[in-house]
Amino acid sequence: MARFGLFSNDVGIDLGTANTLIWQKGKGIVLNEPSIVAFDKTTKGIIAIGYEAQEMVGRTHREIRTIRPLKDGVIADFEIAEGMLRAFIRKISASWQPARRMVICVPSGITEVEKRAVRDSAEHAGAKEVHLIAEPMAAAIGVGLNVHEPKGNMIVDIGGGTTEIAVISLSGIAAEESIRIAGDELTSCIVNWFKRQHNILIGERTAEIIKCNVGSAWPLEQELEIEVKGRDMMSGIPKAIVVSSEEIRNALNENVVVIVEAVLNLLDKTPAELSADIYDRGIILTGGGALLKGLDERLRQETSLPVIVAEDPLTAVVRGTGKVLEDLTAYSSVLIKSRRH
């Protein structure tokens, strides 16, 4: 086991509604899997997690259920979330020892009760020491911003369950907006659009593929088309139709407007000196939602500010969490202060 001596069981976790990413101290990102669990309905015993469980979605029999234990960025099913966390950590651990120290990302708008649920889940999964960090702060650190300096940086982190918008300065969040409209809601928009407009029932995975392949927030230079297969709600017979990126943009627009308005609201609440910094530095987009085609251009047009999509936006939060884990002393000021005791 000597070859594992350089590594630690300390982990940083981006416990997301859609995906869980884990950073192991000394190794970097060691896990990136869907936050999905398949379990036995009678015993509540976990059958599969991550990609294996994702393959079962919509294909299980009545004794097996697949769920996401997190909703809108927070724990919805405590017992299953704890089991998933334990299983993921066991998956990446060189030994059977639990993680000694965990740094976990949480939405900036999380309540004290929700914070406690995250801490308790981590402790029950074996952690001896649990630290929490707000997602936009982790994202800012992950993209390489100096969060300690007295300068305003604006981060828009669009995850699966929440969109976190924050202005960061002097190791803290000077202004923030957290809305529970993000990737999952955009996917649901597409499902509902096909029901209303085409009388076709499609699954969430199909809607996710449509969103990723042809979804957009701003007109594309070359509009796209995609074939969509689903079940005709009138006849019950499988059916395929071809739809355009313009149509999918219309399906997504209602929720894209909400995200844009949240950004504008936060800009309106930002102190004047920090606003001047944002004018110079622009807005940085992170999270899976940052990959929605044309979202940066839409925000550019609506705000008249520079908008930059972070490099590898999907991993920005866990990379920031990892940096904090690697040097807790230097980043102690960015952690969420506990009010537990």
Side-chain angles (χ1 to χ4, degrees):
M1 297 295 287
R3 64 195 180 96
F4 296 115
L6 292 174
F7 304 126
S8 161
N9 272 347
D10 295 353
V11 293
I13 302 174
D14 176 7
L15 192 60
T17 305
N19 294 286
T20 294
L21 291 88
I22 299 181
W23 176 290
Q24 189 169 6
K25 191 171 183 180
K27 281 187 176 181
I29 299 171
V30 290
L31 183 133
N32 180 357
E33 296 208 25
S35 303
I36 301 175
V37 178
F39 64 94
D40 185 298
K41 285 170 74 173
T42 306
T43 64
K44 266 217 160 182
I46 291 177
I47 296 165
I49 57 166
Y51 285 117
E52 195 180 340
Q54 187 181 52
E55 288 299 313
M56 299 180 182
V57 173
R59 297 184 171 96
T60 60
H61 55 74
R62 61 186 177 188
E63 298 301 322
I64 297 176
R65 191 175 168 212
T66 57
I67 67 163
R68 288 183 181 182
L70 288 98
K71 181 173 171 56
D72 298 332
V74 295
I75 292 171
D77 188 313
F78 183 88
E79 187 180 341
I80 297 296
E82 180 193 318
M84 181 183 77
L85 198 54
R86 192 190 297 272
F88 276 145
I89 290 167
R90 191 175 294 145
K91 205 169 184 178
I92 59 107
S93 184
S95 67
W96 287 95
Q97 293 180 332
R100 184 171 59 89
R101 182 185 289 125
M102 287 188 200
V103 179
I104 303 177
C105 292
V106 293
S108 57
I110 195 171
T111 66
E112 288 300 320
V113 171
E114 289 164 345
K115 286 179 200 170
R116 196 170 302 118
V118 173
R119 288 184 188 279
D120 288 347
S121 286
E123 287 169 1
H124 289 157
K128 302 290 183 286
E129 189 181 315
V130 182
H131 301 281
L132 303 183
I133 181 170
E135 283 170 10
M137 178 65 77
I141 295 167
V143 300
L145 296 178
N146 180 359
V147 297
H148 303 305
E149 65 178 344
K151 294 282 185 183
N153 292 293
M154 189 170 192
I155 291 282
V156 179
D157 180 58
I158 308 169
T162 60
T163 294
E164 305 287 322
I165 310 158
V167 177
I168 291 163
S169 176
L170 288 168
S171 306
I173 294 176
E176 65 184 332
E177 191 90 14
S178 178
I179 58 170
R180 296 191 174 187
I181 298 284
D184 287 350
E185 285 295 323
L186 293 173
T187 302
S188 295
C189 271
I190 294 172
V191 173
N192 293 331
W193 178 271
F194 277 88
K195 280 184 189 173
R196 291 195 311 266
Q197 301 296 323
H198 298 288
N199 279 323
I200 290 178
L201 193 63
I202 63 170
E204 280 191 15
R205 288 188 69 185
T206 298
E208 182 76 18
I209 290 165
I210 295 166
K211 180 181 74 176
C212 293
N213 288 342
V214 303
S216 62
W218 190 256
L220 305 175
E221 282 185 23
Q222 187 172 348
E223 298 293 351
L224 307 167
E225 288 188 338
I226 189 169
E227 184 182 57
V228 178
K229 296 170 184 173
R231 191 178 81 222
D232 189 297
M233 292 170 67
M234 304 296 285
S235 67
I237 296 170
K239 183 179 179 181
I241 62 169
V242 174
V243 296
S244 67
S245 49
E246 294 107 311
E247 182 173 347
I248 301 305
R249 187 160 57 248
N250 287 334
L252 296 173
N253 189 58
E254 186 181 339
N255 279 348
V256 170
V257 166
V258 176
I259 293 169
V260 170
E261 285 178 350
V263 172
L264 294 170
N265 286 342
L266 188 61
L267 286 168
D268 191 45
K269 293 192 294 188
T270 301
E273 293 295 339
L274 296 176
S275 289
D277 294 334
I278 295 165
Y279 182 83
D280 293 332
R281 296 175 170 221
I283 299 168
I284 298 174
L285 299 183
T286 64
L291 297 172
L292 181 67
K293 296 175 183 65
L295 181 60
D296 53 340
E297 185 58 32
R298 176 78 175 261
L299 284 169
R300 220 172 275 130
Q301 295 293 331
E302 299 271 5
T303 64
S304 301
L305 294 170
V307 179
I308 304 110
V309 177
E311 188 178 340
D312 195 7
L314 281 163
T315 64
V317 169
V318 78
R319 282 184 282 125
T321 309
K323 285 183 183 178
V324 171
L325 179 73
E326 300 284 348
D327 195 349
L328 273 170
T329 304
Y331 286 105
S332 61
S333 57
V334 307
L335 297 171
I336 294 172
K337 305 298 181 282
S338 174
R339 297 181 192 171
R340 187 169 186 181
H341 301 297

